[in-house]
Amino acid sequence: EQYDVFWAGIVHDIGKVGIPSEILNKPDRLSLEEYETIKAHPGFGYEILKRFEDLQNIAKLVKHHHEWWNGSGYPDGLKAEEIPLGARIIQCADAVSSMATKRPYTEIKSSEQILKEIKLYKGSQFAPDVADAMIDFIEEGLLDKYYLERIENIK
């Protein structure tokens, strides 16, 4: 299961190959139409991966990595325990990664800002147990340590 979560985390956005580059590379907020187009990427990723017998579990995790604990995510509107655990983990980690790195349309958030977001959306966007684990990870300084090590490795 850990192996599947690891590899699904690596390839979770593989479906973005089916999204036009002008949408993927847009420097500002997406329109509602563009956002609807982006929302197709988990399904595209699932379709790519499910063709391989060894990747069935990974394909399911990729498909559901944008589902929300309260059921308002996509593509299937799964809720709570209906969402595979691995997808819940990837969803939270992906959100943290997005907040902690520079994107064309947002600034990098501090660990304190990320903690505030995780706590705010715990139980709605994020599964409570996964959010608690991420909160512990960040409060222990491990997120900052990870990004500092990445910066050092780039130099």
Side-chain angles (χ1 to χ4, degrees), residues 52-125:
F52 302 94
E53 188 175 328
D54 292 352
L55 302 179
Q56 297 299 306
N57 291 335
I58 292 169
K60 289 175 190 166
L61 300 180
V62 166
K63 181 178 183 181
H64 297 298
H65 79 275
H66 280 289
E67 302 287 2
W68 281 30
W69 185 253
N70 67 6
S72 65
Y74 61 89
D76 296 329
L78 299 182
K79 184 176 184 177
E81 301 292 332
E82 296 171 343
I83 306 165
L85 174 59
R88 289 181 255 153
I89 293 168
I90 294 165
Q91 187 254 10
C92 188
D94 186 38
V96 169
S97 174
S98 181
M99 290 185 270
T101 55
K102 176 74 177 110
R103 303 292 168 112
Y105 48 88
T106 61
E107 293 299 317
I108 296 172
K109 291 188 177 186
S110 69
S111 292
E112 292 77 24
Q113 291 170 311
I114 295 169
L115 270 172
K116 187 176 178 181
E117 292 267 331
I118 299 296
K119 290 175 181 177
L120 179 65
Y121 293 105
K122 174 183 166 182
S124 58
Q125 180 177 357

